[in-house]
Amino acid sequence: MQAWQDRGVHKFERLTPLTVSLLVLSPLLWAGNAVAGRLAVPLIPPLLLNFFRWTIAFLILLPLASWVLRSNSGLWQHWRRFALLGLVGTGLYNALQYLALHTSTPLNVTLVGSSGPLWSLALGHFFFGMKVNRWQMVGAGLSIAGVATILARGSLSQLTSLQLVPGDLYMLMATISWAWYSWLLARGTEPKDIRGDSSAFLLAQLVFGVGWSGLLAAGEFGLTDVKVDWGLPLLGVLLFVSIGPAVLAYRWWGMAVQQAGPVVAGFFSNLTPIFAAVLSALVLGEAPRAYHAIAFLLIVAGIVVSSRK
């Protein structure tokens, strides 16, 4: 454990301007994804947006890593593994996030999403045999308090009367799905040639993720009155969420984590709600409120406390 920490410190000391830029740009793009999803609410249904997003991303990645589709690449021998990753990582998580943005704000969505380490801790303890120490329990309590603050909109009466916004609950489900995805990644059994190539690894997941997203979009067609407002605004949203948050941010984050280590990178990920607050105010006119700051401090405090030995 100490050796791992020493390596983390060593990497942190060697952070280059390029690595820092990548660690900042990725949360910025993820915050932009939340704002873009909010802008898309009157233009396209959420599950169809998710399907188009990953279909375009698939087409972008195809020329970069088409070899992964060959019969001898290892994808098809591990298809169950990639099908599960595609379900929880690109299917459920993003679909629930876009669904959440129909009734919740980008700032609320990113704040709830920043509680991911809490749910990773819970899943690790109950399903993956991870031991939880007292600091992690205290940290979990602080993070839960932060999430509760968001759900209650800073009002205890709203929480006790169960007057909750559906979007916040959808995002809570999305965050748990992402925590499950993260644990699956940590226990990876994929072929090294696929795992070592970020484009190939994402494309392998999208082979199935696009299928899952298509099934969800088909259900949306069958259960709701689907209307799409085709035009330049929607085209701009689709191109941004497909190229920026889906392809570039994923690739840049992977490159930066290799240089900085997961611990340092985890703190940079907490920039996402801050960027979302700024972008929401500038683009949507949705200014942050005092309870947002309280929730952010509680969640970050919970993560910091949980990371203590």
Side-chain angles (χ1 to χ4, degrees), residues 66-291:
S66 59
W67 61 267
V68 82
L69 301 180
R70 298 172 186 166
S71 59
N72 61 348
S73 70
L75 166 62
W76 308 113
Q77 289 84 348
H78 296 79
W79 71 267
R80 291 182 179 85
R81 166 79 175 172
F82 286 108
L84 182 57
L85 290 173
L87 173 62
V88 297
T90 60
L92 288 178
Y93 173 74
N94 293 278
L96 288 167
Q97 183 184 41
Y98 288 140
L99 191 62
L101 287 164
H102 271 241
T103 52
S104 189
T105 66
L107 180 53
N108 272 31
V109 163
T110 53
L111 278 171
V112 173
S114 67
S115 68
L118 161 67
W119 308 112
S120 293
L121 181 67
L123 289 175
H125 175 66
F126 289 109
F127 298 103
F128 295 94
M130 176 183 174
K131 294 183 179 180
V132 178
N133 60 42
R134 61 175 182 175
W135 288 114
Q136 290 170 328
M137 293 180 66
V138 172
L142 289 170
S143 293
I144 290 173
V147 173
T149 301
I150 299 167
L151 296 178
R153 296 297 192 274
S155 172
L156 182 60
S157 61
Q158 181 165 323
L159 185 63
T160 55
S161 61
L162 295 180
Q163 296 177 354
L164 305 179
V165 176
D168 294 339
L169 299 180
Y170 284 133
M171 191 58 203
L172 193 59
M173 294 167 60
T175 306
I176 295 173
S177 176
W178 185 259
W180 184 17
Y181 173 75
S182 299
W183 268 103
L184 291 174
L185 289 182
R187 300 168 68 90
T189 57
E190 305 85 9
K192 291 183 179 180
D193 56 345
I194 297 179
R195 183 78 179 217
D197 185 330
S198 60
S199 296
F201 189 50
L202 182 55
L203 183 63
Q205 296 174 61
L206 289 185
V207 169
F208 301 96
V210 169
W212 292 120
S213 301
L215 286 175
L216 291 173
E220 189 175 54
F221 266 98
L223 298 174
T224 63
D225 183 18
V226 173
K227 295 180 180 179
V228 180
D229 185 6
W230 293 107
L232 288 179
L234 177 56
L235 179 61
V237 167
L238 287 174
L239 289 177
F240 171 75
V241 300
S242 302
I243 298 172
V247 176
L248 292 180
Y250 188 97
R251 188 179 185 89
W252 290 346
W253 188 257
M255 293 168 57
V257 168
Q258 290 180 8
Q259 296 298 318
V263 175
V264 174
F267 285 101
F268 277 88
S269 68
N270 288 317
L271 291 172
T272 304
I274 298 176
F275 287 142
V278 175
L279 292 175
S280 295
L282 293 176
V283 179
L284 304 174
E286 297 175 348
R289 300 188 178 184
Y291 72 81

